[in-house]
Structure formats: C-alpha cells, structure tokens
C-alpha cells in the first residue's frame, strides 16, 4: 500500500514548499502535466535526487516509437512510476514496457483505462462500445496482456482489475476523500480505508492533503486510517 500525494500546483514554489514539509518514506509524489510544464525535468530530478519516489502522471498516448522514447526518458530521470493511455493500443503498450526493460532504474508502467471524467454517453461519442465496466475491462485487459505493472482506475473497478491482472497488478486509485472532507469536482469518491478494502493498492490523494490547513497532520490522519486495513508491507 502506498499514499501518493498529487502535487496539483500552478507554481513550482508552492509545490516545493509542501514537499519540504512532507515526511519522506510516508508518501510518494505525483507530478502531472501542469506542474511538469512549469518545473520541468530539473524539478523532478531534484526530488528524485533527494530520495522521493515520483509518479510522473503524463499519460503518454502516441505512436509506439514516440511513447517508447518518452518512457526511456522517464526511466533516465529516475522516476518510480509513469503512465500511458491504454487507448494507444497493444503495440504502443508493448513498446512502452519493452523500452524500460533493462533500464538502470526501471519505472513501473501503468495504464490509464477510461478517464473518470467520462460518462457512458461520452464513450459512445468517442467510439467505445458497450457499458462503462465493459470498456474499462477491455482496456484493463490490454494493459495486463502487454505486461504493464497495473492500471489507474476508480476504486470501484479495483477488484475487477485484480481479477484481470492478479495480485501483483497495481490498482492506482484517485478520487479518495477521507470522511468529512470536500469531494470538490470528484463525482465518485471513496474513503481511504474503503478504497483499500475494495482492492486499491496505491491511493492518489490531492486536495485533502495539499489544501488542508495542516497537510502533515492530514497525511498522518490518513495513514492512521489505512494502517488498520493495509495487510501488505509498507512500500509495496
Ligand atoms: O485533489 P484530488 O484528490 O481530487 O486529486 C486527484 C488527482 O488524481 C488529480 O491529480 C487528478 O488529475 C488525478 N486523476 C483523477 N482521476 C483520474 C486520473 C487522475 O482524479 N482518472
């Protein structure tokens, strides 16, 4: 089980200030497109050099050769995890995995299935047939077949993803809200303990920590909640 703090900041200084207060070893860091475009590889490299495990959430989706090159660059940066869109298809997913085989720091590669912002009506418009769970199952199956290390999914889909890929297939889940906190724009939320019980392996938590009056205390409270549920060793 691990807790991954989503650093959704529009200023590098604000992200740096939060990271300076977080206890290394108690959580990991997620860097998405906005912060990456502002802070760049130098910022990520600084955190990696300081011992942080970084999830580079750039959701690569391009032709196989281009995605392979991007995954190699992520490996060279020393990140812990990087993600790709399963909609890129089997050849792209295989190229992503093969690109990092044998890397000195092999990042975990996980697949995004259907974005949680999509509703069933959107699936039809973009040409994905069938109900949501069928589409998620089909795309999660592509990730498992390509030998990816797991998927980003909602906690509601975690058990189905474990059935597809096995226990070692990670289920990285956003949309986590400790009870009593604001859901914000997330439509379908779960508490940290409920998400783990539902089969999540890594919880992505943004605003409940980053916007808390005391982020360190908020993180500690979440850790205390999940440690009662987590059976896996820390850092899995
Ligand atoms: O602040 P909050 O806890 O809602 O942040 C969740 C994080 O997870 C954000 O960085 C968001 O972009 C990301 N995410 C998500 N849903 C997905 C994939 C990623 O909320 N399906």
């Amino acid at each position: 089980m691990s807790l991954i703090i989503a650093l959704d900041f529009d200023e590098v200084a604000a992200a740096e200030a939060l990271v300076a207060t977080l206890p290394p070893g108690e959580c990991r860091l997620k860097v998405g497109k906005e912060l990456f475009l502002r802070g760049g590889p130098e910022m990520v490299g600084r955190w990696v050099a300081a011992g942080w495990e970084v999830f580079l959430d750039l959701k690569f989706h391009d032709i196989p050769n281009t995605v392979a090159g991007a995954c190699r660059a992520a490996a060279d940066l020393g990140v812990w995890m990087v993600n790709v869109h399963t909609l890129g298809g089997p050849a792209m997913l295989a190229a992503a995995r093969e690109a990092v085989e044998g890397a000195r720091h092999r990042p975990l590669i996980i697949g995004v299935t259907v974005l949680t912002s999509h509703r069933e009506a959107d699936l039809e418009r973009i040409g994905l047939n069938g109900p949501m769970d069928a589409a998620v199952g089909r795309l999660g199956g592509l990730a498992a077949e390509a030998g990816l290390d797991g998927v980003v999914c909602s906690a509601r889909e975690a058990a189905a993803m474990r059935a597809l890929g096995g226990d070692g297939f990670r289920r990285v889940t956003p949309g986590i809200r400790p009870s009593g906190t604001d859901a914000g724009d997330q439509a379908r939320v779960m508490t940290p303990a409920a998400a783990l019980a539902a089969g999540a392996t890594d919880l992505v938590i943004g605003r409940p920590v980053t916007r808390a009056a005391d982020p360190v205390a908020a993180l500690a409270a979440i850790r205390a909640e999940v440690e009662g549920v987590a059976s896996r060793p820390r850092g899995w």
Side-chain angles (χ1 to χ4, degrees):
M1 186 285 297
S2 78
L3 302 178
I4 304 172
I5 306 303
L7 298 173
D8 294 320
F9 290 100
D10 58 7
E11 283 181 11
V12 176
E16 297 269 21
L18 176 70
V19 171
T21 68
L22 293 174
E26 299 280 305
C27 61
R28 290 169 165 135
L29 308 177
K30 182 173 90 67
V31 175
K33 291 184 177 80
E34 183 178 21
L35 186 61
F36 187 75
L37 284 167
R38 294 189 186 278
E42 297 78 13
M43 174 195 70
V44 173
R46 272 199 307 279
W47 287 332
V48 170
W52 284 101
E53 292 188 300
V54 176
F55 169 19
L56 196 57
D57 179 17
L58 298 182
K59 300 185 180 70
F60 299 140
H61 185 181
D62 210 313
I63 60 171
N65 187 54
T66 300
V67 168
C71 290
R72 269 194 298 277
D76 289 345
L77 200 47
V79 301
W80 162 69
M81 178 183 274
V82 65
N83 58 2
V84 297
H85 261 287
T86 54
L87 281 170
M92 191 208 81
L93 299 177
R97 183 184 50 75
E98 285 161 16
V100 299
E101 294 300 342
R104 200 153 53 91
H105 299 288
R106 180 200 178 289
L108 297 173
I109 302 204
I110 58 166
V112 177
T113 56
V114 176
L115 294 173
T116 46
S117 52
H118 280 156
R119 298 165 201 280
E120 251 172 40
D122 299 315
L123 293 189
E124 203 180 317
R125 297 210 62 193
I126 59 174
L128 287 179
N129 297 325
M132 181 67 79
D133 55 355
V136 171
R138 204 163 55 237
L139 292 167
L142 292 184
E145 279 163 31
L148 298 200
D149 299 294
V151 283
V152 182
C153 63
S154 103
R156 286 171 174 75
E157 296 149 0
M161 294 296 112
R162 180 173 51 203
L164 271 177
D167 271 347
F169 191 65
R170 300 181 90 113
R171 284 84 64 191
V172 180
T173 63
I176 303 298
R177 289 293 178 272
S179 39
T181 60
D182 187 5
D185 57 355
Q186 295 282 14
R188 300 186 303 153
V189 299
M190 246 194 228
T191 66
L196 282 182
T201 58
D202 301 271
L203 308 183
V204 174
I205 305 174
R207 288 160 289 182
V209 168
T210 59
R211 303 289 186 259
D214 183 345
V216 176
L219 176 62
I222 294 167
R223 276 217 84 86
E225 177 183 336
V226 298
E227 262 155 17
V229 185
S231 54
R232 291 195 182 85
R234 201 162 101 186
W236 180 81

